[in-house]
Amino acid sequence: MEYVILAVVIAVVAIVAITGLIVSGRRRRQLPPKSQAPVITAPKPTPQEPQVGEEAAPPTEAPRRTVEEVELPAEAEAPEAVEAVEVAPAEAEAAPAVEVPEPTAGRLVRLRSRLSRSQNSLGKGLLSLLSREHLDEDTWEEIEDTLLTADVGVAPTQELVERLRTRVKVLGTRTPEELRALLREELVELIGKDADRTVRSTRHEEGPAVVLVVGVNGVGKTTTTGKLARVLVADGRKVVLGAADTFRAAAADQLQTWGERVGARTVRGPEGGDPASIAFDAVKEGIAEGADTVLIDTAGRLHTKTGLMDELGKVKRVVEKHGPVDEVLLVLDATTGQNGLIQARVFAEVVDITGIVLTKLDGTAKGGIVVAVQRDLGVPVKLIGLGEGADDLAPFEPGAFVDALIGD
């Protein structure tokens, strides 16, 4: 019985406690929440603007500029400013002046400064060895090594050494002047002084002379084509350029810039278009304009890519529908040395190469490559690039070239 009474008491206490909590909670909900006053930032009054309402205050007077104090421009100056704005665009649209290229005669004289390294390794090296008092077998082997290092080639080197041996024995006593004259004569003979190095660029009965510029990637075909246009314009030729390099981005823009500088028109097509079609249109345009020469810049192609090489043959065949191709100039980088000969052989199998253009024949280039490439292909070097300047492409002259190699 005691346990029952205890349980009833506990239950009553619990009910009373719960009831008190509920009532207390309801009272708290009924009380209004304590509101926090919002922070109001009054906007800063603008200058000379009165406040609104009871806080309004009379505006303060601020100094103002009167009309008389404002300086107006003179009446004569306004029309002049308007006229200057109107005239400027007209002047900007004026066509750029056409440049007058430097004459081609005497350009090769620059080789004396541009071939300083080749001169030290080939010309001066040979003169130093030949000036020794006793020319034994070791000396002749050094002469051979010097020629081979200069990329002259094995067969031309052996031929030159044998001729020098014979001439030195006959000469006997050798003064520096005699040695220089002897070496100059033999080197000119080795390069070939009787080869026809003229670029056939004169208009004939069939129409303008057509010159096709070919080569591998990166040898500077487009630049060479632009420089060749300057050479021909300097010699009095009217030139049309054909931008048949449709694979390299901006190649046509680059060629057109070269043409505009000397007043030569450029025939171009869409990027990625058919090179043979553009070459055909360029010759057609040259015939219509009565041009003397049409220069066609082709896309660079690896000599190992059969498809691209076949396409080059197609370009030549399509152009020949108008008439014969007078020149096929192969552009070679002189700094590649003997490696360039492998490229040259493949190009010679696809198109009939008629001449060589050696670019970058300054600085690190070895002068002996002139001999090697001519012997290997059986075609003459007709043009050489001496630097990055616009007029640094020169007709090749064996005598001036050797004079630059052996020095004074």
Side-chain angles (χ1 to χ4, degrees):
M1 189 66 180
E2 295 178 356
Y3 292 105
V4 174
I5 295 173
L6 180 61
V8 172
V9 172
I10 294 173
V12 172
V13 171
I15 292 172
V16 172
I18 293 171
T19 303
L21 291 174
I22 293 173
V23 173
S24 177
R26 288 180 179 177
R27 289 179 178 177
R28 290 180 181 177
R29 291 194 195 100
Q30 292 175 358
L31 291 176
K34 294 182 180 180
S35 59
Q36 294 182 356
V39 179
I40 300 175
T41 303
K44 295 180 180 180
T46 56
Q48 301 178 4
E49 181 180 4
Q51 300 295 323
V52 179
E54 297 178 356
E55 298 178 359
T60 58
E61 291 293 331
R64 299 184 181 183
R65 298 182 64 188
T66 61
V67 175
E68 291 76 13
E69 294 175 344
V70 178
E71 296 182 1
L72 297 177
E75 295 182 358
E77 294 179 358
E80 292 181 0
V82 173
E83 291 179 3
V85 173
E86 294 177 352
V87 173
E91 295 176 352
E93 293 175 359
V98 176
E99 299 179 9
V100 179
E102 179 182 332
T104 58
R107 284 190 182 183
L108 206 54
V109 177
R110 302 179 192 177
L111 281 174
R112 291 184 179 274
S113 59
R114 301 291 176 86
L115 283 179
S116 58
R117 296 185 184 180
S118 296
Q119 182 182 23
N120 292 334
S121 61
L122 181 57
K124 289 187 176 181
L126 290 177
L127 283 175
S128 176
L129 292 171
L130 291 172
S131 300
R132 291 181 180 178
E133 187 175 353
H134 300 289
L135 296 178
D136 53 14
E137 289 299 323
D138 292 338
T139 303
W140 287 112
E141 288 182 3
E142 290 184 44
I143 293 175
E144 287 186 0
D145 292 341
T146 301
L147 291 168
L148 292 173
T149 304
D151 285 333
V152 174
V154 177
T157 293
Q158 293 175 347
E159 178 184 333
L160 179 59
V161 169
E162 288 301 320
R163 291 168 60 177
L164 286 174
R165 276 176 177 264
T166 303
R167 295 286 300 275
V168 168
K169 287 180 180 179
V170 174
L171 186 62
T173 304
R174 308 176 304 279
T175 64
E177 292 75 15
E178 291 173 334
L179 282 175
R180 183 173 287 102
L182 170 63
L183 185 58
R184 181 187 188 281
E185 182 180 345
E186 292 298 333
L187 286 175
V188 170
E189 186 68 25
L190 187 67
I191 293 173
K193 58 183 178 181
D194 299 327
D196 182 12
R197 303 182 188 277
T198 304
V199 177
R200 293 190 286 273
S201 58
T202 306
R203 183 180 177 85
H204 41 68
E205 295 180 358
E206 293 82 359
V210 178
V211 180
L212 203 62
V213 182
V214 303
V216 299
N217 299 313
V219 295
K221 291 182 306 305
T222 302
T223 300
T224 299
T225 305
K227 291 182 179 181
L228 179 56
R230 295 179 66 89
V231 170
L232 297 178
V233 170
D235 291 339
R237 305 281 194 272
K238 183 178 181 181
V239 178
V240 171
L241 299 173
D245 183 356
T246 60
F247 298 106
R248 184 170 64 88
D253 294 334
Q254 181 183 357
L255 188 64
Q256 183 172 346
T257 300
W258 279 102
E260 290 174 348
R261 293 171 65 180
V262 292
R265 182 173 180 182
T266 302
V267 177
R268 54 186 297 178
E271 186 175 342
D274 183 16
S277 175
I278 296 173
F280 182 86
D281 291 341
V283 178
K284 182 179 179 181
E285 185 66 26
I287 295 173
E289 290 192 4
D292 298 300
T293 314
V294 177
L295 296 178
I296 300 176
D297 175 35
T298 62
R301 57 203 74 231
L302 296 175
H303 60 285
T304 55
K305 298 295 183 181
T306 306
L308 292 177
M309 296 303 292
D310 292 341
E311 185 183 73
L312 180 60
K314 174 188 173 183
V315 172
K316 185 173 183 290
R317 291 191 301 271
V318 170
V319 170
E320 287 175 338
K321 292 181 179 179
H322 284 299
V325 174
D326 298 87
E327 289 277 4
V328 179
L329 298 178
L330 175 62
V331 182
L332 292 177
D333 185 340
T335 60
T336 61
Q338 296 289 323
N339 294 331
L341 297 181
I342 301 175
Q343 306 167 4
R345 295 188 194 107
V346 179
F347 275 91
E349 294 174 359
V350 178
V351 289
D352 296 327
I353 304 297
T354 60
I356 304 295
V357 182
L358 281 176
T359 62
K360 306 176 186 178
L361 194 60
D362 60 313
T364 58
K366 300 171 182 178
I369 189 62
V370 173
V371 177
V373 70
Q374 290 186 145
R375 290 294 186 93
D376 195 272
L377 297 181
V379 294
V381 173
K382 293 191 173 184
L383 298 161
I384 55 175
L386 314 178
E388 300 297 330
D391 293 319
D392 285 342
L393 186 72
F396 181 72
E397 303 170 13
F401 178 76
V402 172
D403 288 339
L405 288 181
I406 63 177
D408 298 326

